[in-house]
Amino acid sequence: MFGRDRIEYKTPEQVRVMRRAGLVVADALAAVRAEVRPGLTTADLDAVAADVIRSAGATPSFLGYHGFPATLCVSVNDEVVHGIPGPRVLEPGDVVSVDCGAIVDGWHGDSAMTVVLDAADPLDVALAETTERAMWAGIAALAGADRLGAVGEAVEDVVDSAAAAGANGGTRFGIVQEYVGHGIGSAMHQPPEVLNYRARDRGAKLKPGMCVAVEPMLVRGARDTRVLADDWTVVTTDGSRASHWEHSVAVLPTGVVVLTAHDGGAARLGELGVQVADLGS
Ligand code: MG
Ligand code: MG
């Protein structure tokens, strides 16, 4: 849907502003993680994030985006992405995916996490952990690759190894294909698309200044999705549970840095043998 020729390459100064937006998003998600529990509504989570973003002097990316009515997307259980916060009360064992975006001085950050509430089904925990691991593997792949297609290859490798280890009780986690990662910068969604699966076309060439959101979505059943009557909420067609993890990442001349992680991705990328690049000042 996006041409490769419209990629926005950022200057180091622009990436540093995006880092500020990324840290606001990281703070908002950390606050939600600290609060989320059974008995709260998804609207309660939205209020927590909205407060963090407004207190930082930033602007929510999602509120008003094509008419979206909230600060967060909160997607529970069989909801994959784009769930609208509201009166739904969270229950023990729920799989809660929280997606957040913020704007600082015109530049965006975008990140998502999945939290499995206490009394969890171990297979739901495996789903969320595998999705997070797939995201980090995709980000690590950006550090050494020549083409963006390395992300989808890394995600598929993690899903394959999880299947080999029996993580989903004998079946392979599904990889959602209708929704993919994207370029990010002066707009939340820009070219290029970042696929979460192997494709013959290995995608755009990786170049310094490219900033992308890496965001795999895995499901316990079939990968097919549909959109609910609210025109936003994406659910699995078979009702199986879903997980979504996302970080915004900058490609610099010296490597990658995760703009929406407090540590820039140092801990998780370090485990994968990737050193985080220096953003400068
Ligand atoms: Mg997002
Ligand atoms: Mg995104």
Side-chain angles (χ1 to χ4, degrees), residues 99 110 180-182 188-189 213 215 244 246:
D99 196 344
D110 186 10
V180 297
H182 50 89
M188 180 164 61
H189 293 131
E215 52 175 320
H244 175 215
E246 174 178 28

Side-chain angles (χ1 to χ4, degrees), residues 27-276:
D27 287 344
L29 287 179
V32 170
R33 179 186 280 283
E35 288 292 326
V36 64
R37 61 186 182 274
L40 291 187
T41 66
T42 54
D44 292 332
L45 303 185
D46 196 68
V48 169
D51 187 47
V52 171
I53 292 171
R54 297 292 183 196
S55 300
T59 306
S61 297
F62 301 173
L63 185 63
Y65 181 84
H66 295 288
F68 190 79
T71 293
L72 295 178
C73 294
V74 182
S75 307
V76 182
N77 295 339
D78 64 324
E79 298 172 355
V80 184
V81 286
H82 304 166
I84 301 173
R88 180 176 185 153
V89 178
L90 296 175
E91 295 180 13
D94 275 352
V95 177
V96 186
S97 295
V98 182
D99 196 344
C100 182
I103 311 166
V104 170
D105 291 346
W107 295 88
H108 290 253
D110 186 10
S111 181
M113 64 178 182
T114 297
V115 179
V116 186
L117 302 185
D118 281 347
D121 178 335
L123 292 185
D124 288 337
V125 174
L127 169 73
E129 286 180 353
T130 302
T131 310
E132 183 181 17
R133 208 147 41 79
M135 174 194 67
W136 284 110
I139 294 168
L142 287 175
D146 57 339
R147 297 262 170 197
L148 211 44
V151 172
E153 292 158 8
V155 168
E156 286 234 27
D157 284 347
V158 168
V159 170
D160 285 340
S161 68
N168 193 28
T171 56
R172 188 178 186 269
F173 290 124
I175 302 175
V176 172
Q177 294 199 352
E178 288 99 338
Y179 305 90
V180 297
H182 50 89
I184 181 168
S186 62
M188 180 164 61
H189 293 131
Q190 304 180 322
E193 291 192 323
V194 184
L195 305 186
N196 294 309
Y197 51 92
R198 275 192 195 86
R200 188 182 297 269
D201 179 349
R202 296 203 61 246
K205 198 165 171 46
L206 284 165
K207 289 185 192 164
M210 200 181 257
C211 294
V212 293
V214 174
E215 52 175 320
M217 294 148 224
L218 302 186
V219 298
R220 282 182 51 189
R223 67 166 193 251
D224 311 276
T225 63
R226 65 189 174 89
V227 180
L228 295 185
D230 64 17
D231 273 341
W232 282 105
T233 312
V234 177
V235 298
T236 56
T237 304
D238 65 6
S240 67
R241 291 185 164 191
S243 172
H244 175 215
W245 279 85
E246 174 178 28
H247 270 310
S248 299
V249 184
V251 178
L252 302 172
T254 51
V256 299
V257 58
V258 182
L259 301 169
T260 44
H262 283 116
D263 69 350
R268 294 299 295 262
L269 292 178
E271 291 171 13
L272 299 171
V274 173
Q275 212 183 343
V276 167

